[in-house]
Amino acid sequence: MAMASPIVSAEPKHDKLRQLGIIALNGMFDEMDAEGVLRQAVDDLLPGDIAMVSSFGADSAVLLHLVSQVDPNLPVYFLETGKHFAETLDYVQTLKSRLGLANVIALHPDSADLKRFDPDGVLWETDPDSCCHIRKTEPLEKVLAGFGGWVTGRKRFQTAERGVLPHFELTSDDRIKVNPLAYFSNEDIEAYKARYDLPDHPLYQEGYKSIGCAPCTSAVADGEDPRAGRWRGLNKQECGIHFDFNGSIAKPVSQSQLTLFKDGEFKADPWRSWAEGDEASSVRYTHVPVSVFIEHREAFLASPHPIGLQVDPGEKVEEVADDLSRFSSVAINFPAFGDGRGYSSARLLRERYGYEGELRAIGDVLTDQIPFMRRCGINAFVVTNIATRKAIEADALAEVRLYYQPVGASREVPVGTRPFLRRNANYT
Amino acid sequence: MYRYDEFDAAFVNERVAQFSDQVRRRISGELTEDQFRPLRLMNGLYLQLHAYMLRVAVPYGTLNSRQMRMLAHIARKYDRGYGHFTTRQNIQYNWPKLRDVPAILADLASVEMHAIQTSGNCIRNVTTDQFAGAAADEIIDPRPVAEIIRQWSSLHPEFTFLPRKFKIAITGAPNDRAAVKFHDIGLMAQTNGSGEIGWAVYVGGGLGRTPMIAKLINGFVPHEHLLAYLESILRVYNRYGRRDNKYKARIKILVHEEGLENIKGQVEEEFAHIRGGVLTLPQEELDRINTYFAQPAYKDIGVVDIDIEREKIIDSAYGRFLENNTFPHARQGYTSVTISLKPIGGAPGDATADQMDVVADLAEKYSFDELRVSHEQNLVLPHVALTDLRAVYDALVEAELADANAGEITDMITCPGLDYCALANARSIPIAQDISQRFASPERQKEIGKLKIKISGCINACGHHHVGHIGILGVEKKGTELYQITVGGDGSEDAAVGKILGPGFVAEDVPDAIEKLVDAYIEKRESADETFIAAYRRLGDAPFKEALYGNG
């Protein structure tokens, strides 16, 4: 994937005058109401050079209403990720006609990117950062350069990170972000919606307080941070399209820190290990040890969240054979290079119990083992060893790609004259 | 014998290329010794006391003349002009330089040989009867099945990181010359009620610090299911064998601790799952491999009468050679000839490059280009026409390879010991040399008859001392080398582990001690036909204990 979006240094060097200008603007308009801030930006600061991005989510109506009051022809970009709730798409139409927005533009992900990186449409499950990247960041980057400023709907109350959000921000490339709703509280939003009788997002009343793509959005409980339902269970707050407080684009974890190698590349890992204090009913994207799963089996089976299984050496996969369809990922632990028990576990999962999901090796994963692991059905590797990382990236593993013995775990095809014993790995 | 086709050649060449690169990275400093260690071990390269040691696999002990000449070439070019044949039918080079190892492996590959899986915690070279495919007492030639096991076990993805090394031995004859009951898995050819030939499977045998005789886990496994059965055993072992203590990690400990019935239950359950699956061996495949081991084009020689007694009178050395170093052949008019690598005062199992060349020439000329390495560290010409026997003998005399002591007291198994090995506590080759000098006289050896002495320089028991009729184990006590003597061990189908009779002896006293045991046997035996081991079984420890330690 093209992870080549702007790399931003930690301390952006801004034009001093612009920086002072922003401080002045924030001082001058600190007390101004939202409509005033927006009008100032659209009419005075950046006439014809500003646009907005809207998710048409739970609280988009307020800002869109403001836009319709100030300039119904302002370009409003909508990221049509292809993963929205049907209710969201309906809501786009509702608001367009209700508010008379004349310039709503849908941004679609690059179809070649989708075909290459997310052919099955499940990237959100295995690698949500990359999913956001191709469905949001990249399409947006194509239009970013065309404007000197952007209107956002971000609010201070939304998450802890946004607590000091000002009205005007300078981005690393000296663009201006305008946050008319920065000081709005939840009550302000509700009051504004009531005053203008703005329609709610159809899912809002069902507990969805912050709405993104369907697969990565869940309802939040009363009193919970409204954005807690986004990428729930993952250490992920932003999709990468917003700018952080310093104005840098918040990027997914840098490529060199990624440790999960799967489908030919290192990618972000949505999974974590089971930890002390975790609750069976609420964890998601967590590899649950066999013993823990067995102990809380009913709760795990009842939970709607994606969970995985961790198989340590000596644990019997037989004991969870009936529940394998419950796991989106199985992690086989190889605590030491020489401990080969995991190879048997992997083959049993694949060949005897028909597990077809992600099967990953974790622990002491080194170059020499990976070819054997692959033949046993393991298709993802968490690699921390630097030499191994290099070897796997260069496809230069210590490997003999000709096999004598059949295993049932991988799609090996016979070569040569001896269909019984021989397989060749070069099929991939 | 088996010949590589394109696939086998490509397989070995890939492995050579891979290891050459690893050696290059080690020499350039890119790899540390710690990182390099598991890689070199998977290619049979050990770091010994003085230098690297390269162990080359001789699959089930079978060689042709071209391969033997290459072994000679390697000894000459990269080593000090000799090689050491081991109890696992392999050959070891004790002085190769690391930078030469890739070239050695490439040379080996050019004659269809390699060093894959001669070390490491994986399935090692399969060993068998040195007379396989020739012996008169054989039910079936075990080599085709041994070759199939070799292929199945080569770089097996599931079984490359076992708890410990894993050794399989196979014999096609009821008289076990491959010590199958002292292997992790032992296979003995078996005929079932309907006359079909299959395999009795023994599991959990071994020597080392905890000697165990393998137990029968399945009395009859047909050829077609053998690989599935082996995979079942290996899977149970891989999953449940101990990994907390390397000295308790062999399958013999698992079988011992869990009990045979328990392990058998697990293996049979596993077997029930995979039986009939991808590992089912098609008859066509067995037939195909069998053709590689087709009987050579024997000539119709008819009955050849060799009067050994007469020969003994005319040429006593030749007579003795006929008596000791020939083995009954299945084909009339032929015999298998043992070439002893146990010259009096020599290092057991060593052969010089020149000797290897002579043996290769003899194999080419007189034995249908076939050679064997025996687990008793000798070489064998398996198919020699009786009419050629004298010519073969004369050539061996010329090459100083005609020692006629096969099976006698000076035909000892000896590990390299403290002279070479990093693990050893005591020397073993000098002990063997002293004993060999003591019993050098052919008359004395003849008087003693069949007696197997086996010597190990440490508890790892590479010299198989546990199964020596007389076993000698070197230990280190307070800075001195001491030698414990055991009696009554047997590596054959009548498997037994020898017993320690009392305190050890210092090196100088070992030949005397052996002589006392031998004298006690000669005195007590019923006749010259009662062998040492038979007499021991009849008499028990007492007379031997008394011989060694007196009546105290």
Side-chain angles (χ1 to χ4, degrees):
Chain A
M1 170 175 333
M3 282 289 190
S5 38
I7 305 292
V8 173
S9 61
E11 290 175 51
K13 294 268 181 289
H14 293 297
D15 179 311
K16 277 247 167 65
L17 283 176
R18 285 184 79 100
Q19 220 164 353
L20 283 171
I22 288 290
I23 292 167
L25 278 171
N26 280 321
M28 286 158 65
F29 297 106
D30 193 38
E31 307 281 311
M32 191 178 269
D33 67 11
E35 192 178 326
V37 169
L38 186 60
R39 199 171 291 283
Q40 171 65 27
V42 172
D43 290 350
D44 197 35
L45 198 58
L46 297 156
D49 196 24
I50 186 164
M52 77 168 277
V53 181
S54 176
S55 67
F56 288 84
D59 49 17
S60 297
V62 173
L63 185 62
L64 289 167
H65 181 265
L66 281 170
V67 166
S68 69
Q69 299 300 302
V70 173
D71 179 8
N73 287 311
L74 188 87
V76 176
Y77 289 98
F78 170 62
L79 290 161
E80 194 358 344
T81 62
K83 291 288 171 188
H84 283 297
F85 291 104
E87 290 86 343
T88 302
L89 301 179
D90 291 344
Y91 193 48
V92 174
Q93 297 310 319
T94 309
L95 289 181
K96 259 170 78 174
S97 53
R98 267 291 287 281
L99 305 178
L101 297 167
N103 200 8
V104 176
I105 305 153
L107 292 174
H108 296 273
D110 184 274
S111 61
D113 266 3
L114 285 186
K115 205 169 155 194
R116 181 163 166 224
F117 299 114
D118 194 12
D120 308 322
V122 294
L123 187 63
W124 61 271
E125 182 171 29
T126 53
D127 186 357
D129 282 339
S130 298
C131 187
C132 283
H133 191 83
I134 58 172
R135 292 178 188 277
K136 294 180 173 178
T137 313
E138 292 209 327
L140 188 60
E141 272 172 3
K142 293 190 179 115
V143 298
L144 271 179
F147 295 93
W150 290 87
V151 183
T152 89
R154 292 180 304 157
K155 300 155 211 76
R156 291 187 159 191
F157 78 84
Q158 280 173 324
T159 64
E161 284 80 3
R162 294 181 179 179
V164 288
L165 192 72
H167 278 143
F168 296 92
E169 292 174 278
L170 201 57
T171 68
S172 52
D173 56 351
D174 283 342
R175 289 171 208 282
I176 294 170
K177 293 194 84 174
V178 184
N179 308 311
L181 305 181
Y183 291 16
F184 268 49
S185 68
N186 214 2
E187 291 69 39
D188 295 334
I189 297 281
E190 294 304 323
Y192 192 101
K193 287 198 289 192
R195 175 148 38 118
Y196 294 101
D197 191 25
L198 298 178
D200 275 330
H201 190 290
L203 294 174
Y204 185 75
Q205 294 308 330
E206 292 175 33
Y208 292 82
K209 302 289 162 142
S210 177
I211 300 171
C213 294
C216 294
T217 302
S218 60
V220 294
D222 277 348
E224 209 178 1
D225 183 320
R227 281 179 71 86
R230 304 288 295 277
W231 303 285
R232 191 185 285 277
L234 303 189
N235 181 22
K236 177 171 167 72
Q237 276 84 40
E238 297 278 3
C239 60
I241 63 169
H242 290 301
F243 301 85
D244 65 22
F245 185 62
N246 287 326
S248 311
I249 291 176
K251 290 285 298 167
V253 194
S254 90
Q255 190 70 10
S256 65
Q257 292 169 297
L258 301 178
T259 54
L260 175 67
F261 187 83
K262 195 184 171 190
D263 302 331
E265 63 177 345
F266 279 94
K267 51 175 65 173
D269 187 356
W271 293 88
R272 58 188 277 278
S273 298
W274 176 262
E276 195 78 8
D278 279 352
E279 289 291 336
S281 57
S282 62
V283 290
R284 48 185 287 172
Y285 290 103
T286 300
H287 286 113
V288 180
V290 171
S291 56
V292 173
F293 178 81
I294 291 169
E295 190 182 344
H296 304 288
R297 182 170 174 272
E298 296 308 318
F300 282 115
L301 292 182
S303 153
H305 304 305
I307 57 164
L309 182 72
Q310 177 169 327
V311 181
D312 286 316
E315 287 185 318
K316 295 188 176 187
V317 293
E318 289 90 330
E319 292 174 350
V320 292
D322 292 340
D323 297 321
L324 287 174
S325 60
R326 179 65 188 85
F327 306 114
S328 314
S329 169
V330 174
I332 308 267
N333 190 14
F334 292 83
F337 178 85
D339 191 332
R341 286 176 280 188
Y343 299 94
S344 290
S345 299
R347 285 193 67 190
L348 288 171
L349 285 168
R350 287 286 193 232
E351 296 173 46
R352 183 157 308 159
Y353 301 114
Y355 174 73
E356 290 179 349
E358 177 189 282
L359 190 54
R360 58 166 64 185
I362 62 171
D364 196 9
V365 178
L366 299 181
T367 166
D368 319 273
Q369 303 151 303
I370 290 172
F372 294 123
M373 289 172 171
R374 281 185 171 148
R375 293 199 61 207
C376 289
I378 292 172
N379 61 357
F381 306 89
V382 176
V383 178
T384 50
N385 177 277
I386 290 167
T388 302
R389 194 189 164 86
K390 277 188 198 159
I392 201 170
E393 276 175 326
D395 193 23
L397 297 166
E399 180 168 24
V400 174
R401 293 187 188 225
L402 298 164
Y403 312 143
Y404 274 112
Q405 61 292 101
V407 294
S410 23
R411 291 176 296 124
E412 297 166 357
V413 290
V415 295
T417 55
R418 199 178 309 178
F420 166 60
L421 287 172
R422 297 175 166 179
R423 311 289 171 108
N424 183 328
N426 292 324
Y427 68 92
T428 46
Chain B
M1 60 183 280
Y2 188 70
R3 287 183 309 276
Y4 280 14
D5 57 21
E6 281 173 25
F7 181 94
D8 300 293
F11 177 88
V12 171
N13 286 332
E14 267 207 33
R15 181 61 164 209
V16 171
Q18 178 193 35
F19 190 56
S20 302
D21 186 54
Q22 289 160 349
V23 168
R24 180 192 61 71
R25 281 151 63 206
R26 173 70 190 112
I27 289 172
S28 74
E30 188 183 327
L31 292 176
T32 65
E33 172 55 23
D34 266 2
Q35 290 166 327
F36 183 57
R37 188 172 170 276
L39 304 175
R40 67 170 164 77
L41 284 178
M42 283 189 225
N43 289 283
L45 190 62
Y46 284 78
L47 194 51
Q48 289 287 64
L49 218 47
H50 310 292
Y52 282 105
M53 179 272 276
L54 181 68
R55 184 183 291 152
V56 176
V58 181
Y60 35 92
T62 303
L63 288 166
N64 62 25
S65 62
R66 197 165 142 249
Q67 292 171 325
M68 185 60 111
R69 285 193 192 100
M70 182 56 79
L71 296 180
H73 167 77
I74 289 168
R76 211 172 266 130
K77 181 164 177 191
Y78 302 108
D79 206 285
R80 298 188 177 176
Y82 69 96
H84 176 78
F85 289 96
T86 78
T87 57
R88 303 216 69 257
Q89 303 183 300
N90 293 323
I91 182 169
Q92 291 176 184
Y93 293 103
N94 282 300
W95 308 97
K97 292 189 178 58
L98 181 58
R99 65 164 185 271
D100 290 336
V101 170
I104 297 174
L105 294 180
D107 283 352
L108 287 169
S110 74
V111 295
E112 308 181 357
M113 295 185 79
H114 60 73
I116 300 168
Q117 287 177 207
T118 55
S119 57
N121 292 336
C122 51
I123 302 168
R124 303 289 188 88
N125 186 27
V126 179
T127 54
T128 190
D129 181 359
Q130 69 270 29
F131 301 124
D137 61 353
E138 197 166 80
I139 300 170
I140 185 178
D141 182 352
R143 292 173 303 160
V145 171
E147 169 60 24
I148 286 165
I149 294 172
R150 180 190 78 82
Q151 296 188 10
W152 161 76
S153 63
S154 290
L155 303 188
H156 194 296
E158 187 178 347
F159 305 133
T160 297
F161 299 94
L162 295 169
R164 200 77 179 82
K165 58 190 170 185
F166 202 92
K167 298 173 181 177
I168 300 174
I170 181 170
T171 177
N175 300 301
D176 176 13
R177 290 172 290 267
V180 302
K181 289 180 186 170
F182 291 97
H183 284 74
D184 296 283
I185 290 178
L187 301 172
M188 276 189 107
Q190 211 53 244
T191 310
N192 72 2
S194 15
E196 293 157 338
I197 296 171
W199 302 96
V201 182
Y202 293 84
V203 69
L207 297 170
R209 57 190 71 207
T210 321
M212 302 255 185
I213 298 168
K215 296 161 188 72
L216 184 69
I217 187 167
N218 192 316
F220 189 86
V221 177
H223 298 305
E224 62 173 329
H225 297 311
L226 184 63
L227 292 183
Y229 200 81
L230 295 180
E231 187 139 310
S232 301
I233 294 175
L234 263 300
R235 180 168 286 168
V236 169
Y237 171 56
N238 187 43
R239 298 183 78 193
Y240 305 116
R242 287 183 63 170
R243 290 173 188 264
D244 57 328
N245 179 339
K246 93 180 248 200
Y247 301 117
K248 295 185 174 175
R250 296 288 287 270
I251 196 173
K252 63 189 174 187
I253 303 293
L254 182 69
V255 173
H256 179 73
E257 289 183 349
E258 301 277 317
L260 177 67
E261 286 312 307
N262 191 356
I263 293 299
K264 186 178 166 140
Q266 293 178 40
V267 169
E268 293 291 337
E269 193 190 332
E270 190 59 43
F271 184 50
H273 278 294
I274 63 176
R275 183 193 162 103
V278 287
L279 284 172
T280 307
L281 182 65
Q283 185 60 42
E284 313 84 74
E285 176 66 8
L286 186 59
D287 292 345
R288 198 181 69 79
I289 299 285
N290 266 323
T291 60
Y292 286 109
F293 298 94
Q295 293 287 307
Y298 295 123
K299 282 175 282 189
D300 255 332
I301 294 167
V303 180
V304 179
D305 256 337
I306 296 183
D307 186 343
I308 295 178
E309 293 312 313
R310 184 169 164 274
E311 294 291 347
K312 277 198 232 170
I313 294 162
I314 300 167
D315 179 348
S316 67
Y318 180 54
R320 182 169 170 243
F321 182 84
L322 291 176
E323 195 165 54
N324 288 331
N325 293 33
T326 61
F327 189 84
H329 199 284
R331 174 77 179 201
Q332 194 178 54
Y334 284 83
T335 189
S336 299
V337 171
T338 297
I339 301 171
S340 170
L341 297 181
K342 317 293 173 60
I344 299 304
D350 280 4
T352 65
D354 292 348
Q355 288 175 328
M356 290 184 221
D357 278 340
V358 169
V359 171
D361 291 346
L362 290 175
E364 195 171 22
K365 195 165 177 192
Y366 296 112
S367 183
F368 300 94
D369 206 25
E370 266 195 52
L371 273 167
R372 305 293 169 74
V373 181
S374 81
H375 93 273
E376 290 178 320
Q377 302 178 279
N378 294 317
L379 299 175
V380 171
L381 296 167
H383 318 293
V384 175
L386 292 174
T387 46
D388 292 332
L389 205 45
R390 180 73 210 199
V392 169
Y393 174 73
D394 289 341
L396 289 173
V397 171
E398 182 92 358
E400 298 181 6
L401 281 170
D403 290 276
N405 58 354
E408 291 190 332
I409 188 168
T410 58
D411 182 7
M412 287 170 275
I413 290 184
T414 311
C415 76
L418 196 54
D419 297 298
Y420 294 98
C421 177
L423 302 173
N425 300 119
R427 294 164 300 146
S428 35
I429 290 173
I431 300 298
Q433 287 167 329
D434 288 350
I435 294 170
S436 165
Q437 298 286 8
R438 175 67 64 97
F439 295 97
S441 140
E443 294 72 30
R444 178 69 164 147
Q445 292 191 61
K446 162 96 175 117
E447 182 195 17
I448 299 165
K450 299 290 174 199
L451 200 173
K452 291 182 193 294
I453 293 183
K454 300 179 199 277
I455 308 174
S456 304
C458 79
I459 193 67
N460 292 310
C462 299
H464 296 185
H465 66 275
H466 296 299
V467 293
H469 300 158
I470 296 174
I472 300 172
L473 165 65
V475 295
E476 193 230 288
K477 281 230 169 86
K478 294 174 190 162
T480 348
E481 292 168 15
L482 273 188
Y483 294 86
Q484 286 180 351
I485 294 180
T486 58
V487 178
D490 189 345
S492 76
E493 64 281 4
D494 302 315
V497 172
K499 279 178 72 175
I500 298 174
L501 297 184
F505 297 84
V506 295
E508 303 80 74
D509 295 343
V510 171
D512 281 345
I514 303 302
E515 186 128 48
K516 284 177 188 161
L517 290 172
V518 166
D519 287 342
Y521 150 67
I522 290 173
E523 187 195 321
K524 307 268 192 229
R525 69 186 178 190
E526 287 180 324
S527 74
D529 291 336
E530 188 182 43
T531 60
F532 180 94
I533 188 69
Y536 172 82
R537 290 205 178 112
R538 178 173 59 82
L539 295 163
D541 300 343
F544 298 99
K545 204 167 175 172
E546 192 186 323
L548 281 185
Y549 303 106
N551 234 339

